[in-house]
Amino acid sequence: MQAKHIIQIDDLSRNDIEEIFSLAEYYLQLNKNEVVQKYRLDSFTQINVFFENSTRTLASFELAGKKLGGIVQDIQIATSSIQKGETLIDTALTLNAMRPDLLVVRHSSSGAANLLSEKVKCSVLNAGDGSHEHPTQALLDFLTIKHRKKKKEGLIIAICGDISHSRVARSNIALLSKFNNQVRLIGPSNLLSASFREMGLETYNRMEDGVRGADVIMMLRLQKERMKGGFIPSRREYFNRFGLDNQKLSLAKSDAIVMHPGPMNRGVEIDGIIADDLNRSVIQEQVEIGVALRMAVLHLLVDRKG
Ligand code: NCD
C-alpha cells in the first residue's frame, strides 16, 4: 500500500483498496476460526486517541490491534476539556514522543486528523474527524456491500438522513463513486446541502423517490451534537418522512439490503423491525467485517514501515 496516512478515501488508490479488501477477507475467515494458520505482525505500538465519544469504532480498532499482536493504548479525552489549535498540536507532540507506530484519531473538528499527521512521525489513521471523513467506516461498508451483492460496481446506493453532518456519508460518497456506483442522497433540504448537487450527485427530498429501485439503503443518525438550533420538526414527523419502514423499503429492489453505521435510533431513522430483520439488515455483519477490515488496514500501515 502506498499511503502512509489514511485521512480520507482519496488517500487510497483503487489498488490500495483491493489490497485492503483481500487481506480483510483473510482476517474475516481467521476471526471465524476458519483458517488454521495465524499471522502476527512483529511488535508494534498503536495509540487510539479519541477526543470524541465512541463505542464500536474504538472497540473495533482496539480489538483489531490486539488480534494482530500489537501493544494498544487507548486515550480518551473528553471534548470539553480540550481546546482546539495549539492544544491539539501539543497533544500530537506528546504522543509522538512516545514513539508509536500508529495513531488512530477521532476528533470533533474536521481537519484535526490531518493536522496531527503533519506533526508526528508515525502513520495516522482517521477514525472520524468532525463532519469530514471516516474512511475505515466507508471501507467496511463497501466490503459488506461486496459480500452481499457479490459485486462492487453498477449498484444503486441510497444514503438517507443527516447527510450534511455525516462523515460516514462523505467517505461513502467518495468510495462508492470511485467504483462507478450510482449514489443517491436523501434527506430534508436543511440536512442536505446544495454542495452535493453541485458535485453532480443525485439528491432527493422525498424518500420514496430516492429508495425506488435501490440495491442498498444506508440509513444515518441525526447528528444532533453537530446541529446548531432546531433542524427537524419532531421525531415523529421525521420518521414519517425519512424513517425506513416496510412501506418505503418495499419500493427498493426485492433483495435490497439495509445498512446503518450505528449508533442507531430506532423509531427515528429506522423501524426496529427492519433493523432486526436478518434477511434485510446487514448491521451486525458491518460490525464483524469492521474488525477484519481494520486489521487489514493496520497491518498494511505497519508493514509499510519495514
Ligand atoms: C458514526 C460516526 O461516529 O461517525 N458511527 C460510527 O463510527 N460507527 C456515525 C454516527 O455517529 O452517527
Side-chain angles (χ1 to χ4, degrees):
M1 188 167 71
Q2 293 289 313
K4 175 178 180 187
H5 307 293
I6 304 179
I7 309 296
Q8 55 204 13
I9 288 296
D10 276 349
D11 294 333
L12 299 168
S13 66
R14 275 179 71 125
N15 279 347
D16 289 338
I17 295 165
E18 301 288 1
E19 197 180 353
I20 292 169
F21 279 5
S22 81
L23 192 56
E25 296 282 5
Y26 170 78
Y27 281 127
L28 189 62
Q29 299 312 314
L30 192 95
N31 291 347
K32 288 184 203 281
N33 291 323
E34 286 173 14
V35 176
V36 182
Q37 179 206 354
K38 301 249 174 216
Y39 185 87
R40 278 181 172 244
L41 292 169
D42 289 342
S43 175
F44 68 96
T45 303
Q46 170 188 338
I47 304 181
N48 299 326
V49 51
F50 277 54
F51 295 89
E52 210 185 39
N53 290 341
S54 167
T55 314
R56 78 210 68 219
T57 304
L58 179 59
S60 184
F61 270 114
E62 188 176 352
L63 212 53
K66 286 181 174 165
K67 275 173 179 276
L68 291 171
I71 298 164
V72 183
Q73 177 69 49
D74 289 344
I75 305 179
Q76 291 201 60
I77 304 166
T79 322
S80 56
S81 69
I82 200 100
Q83 302 290 314
K84 278 180 253 166
E86 266 170 325
T87 312
L88 178 64
I89 293 169
D90 277 346
T91 311
L93 296 177
T94 305
L95 295 172
N96 190 50
M98 295 178 188
R99 299 192 166 275
D101 300 292
L102 284 161
L103 279 180
V104 180
V105 183
R106 170 166 285 200
H107 199 283
S108 57
S109 296
S110 303
N114 187 46
L115 184 63
L116 261 164
S117 75
E118 289 169 356
K119 304 288 169 196
V120 297
K121 290 212 175 78
C122 67
S123 288
V124 173
L125 193 41
N126 181 9
D129 63 328
S131 303
H132 176 227
E133 285 224 27
H134 190 355
T136 56
Q137 180 67 45
L139 288 164
L140 76 89
D141 290 340
F142 194 34
L143 187 54
T144 309
I145 292 173
K146 182 173 166 259
H147 260 229
R148 279 296 182 114
K149 294 283 143 203
K150 311 281 179 236
K151 58 177 186 173
K152 54 184 187 326
E153 309 215 19
L155 295 162
I156 300 176
I157 294 146
I159 307 179
C160 180
D162 180 0
I163 311 282
S164 284
H165 297 104
S166 176
R167 52 200 179 201
V168 175
R170 278 188 185 74
S171 287
N172 265 296
I173 292 166
L175 182 55
L176 295 166
S177 309
K178 232 184 207 334
F179 286 83
N180 307 319
N181 292 290
Q182 185 187 338
V183 181
R184 298 177 181 170
L185 305 177
I186 308 167
S189 34
N190 56 353
L191 295 176
L192 188 49
S193 85
S195 61
F196 291 109
R197 249 187 320 279
E198 287 152 19
M199 283 163 62
L201 291 154
E202 287 179 36
T203 60
Y204 296 84
N205 298 130
R206 264 193 94 242
M207 188 165 174
E208 286 80 357
D209 297 336
V211 297
R212 204 175 297 280
D215 296 287
V216 177
I217 303 178
M218 192 180 288
M219 299 305 301
L220 299 173
R221 181 178 68 92
L222 290 169
Q223 309 237 329
K224 294 219 182 69
E225 70 276 24
R226 300 189 214 290
M227 295 179 191
K228 293 181 190 75
F231 270 82
I232 53 159
S234 73
R235 287 160 72 111
R236 194 191 177 89
E237 193 182 330
Y238 183 82
F239 181 74
N240 285 340
R241 289 193 57 202
F242 297 102
L244 185 63
D245 55 14
N246 266 319
Q247 187 261 327
K248 295 189 195 89
L249 180 57
S250 70
L251 300 169
K253 289 219 176 90
S254 57
D255 61 351
I257 56 167
V258 175
M259 309 181 77
H260 197 306
M264 170 167 67
N265 291 308
R266 291 166 185 259
V268 181
E269 72 269 11
I270 189 165
D271 187 334
I273 293 171
I274 294 176
D276 296 333
D277 178 356
L278 296 181
N279 292 320
R280 293 296 209 156
S281 162
V282 297
I283 296 170
Q284 300 308 322
E285 216 169 308
Q286 286 173 268
V287 178
E288 182 182 1
I289 288 179
V291 175
L293 185 283
R294 289 182 173 121
M295 287 173 79
V297 172
L298 295 170
H299 177 150
L300 292 171
L301 287 176
V302 170
D303 247 13
R304 191 192 162 277
K305 287 174 46 116

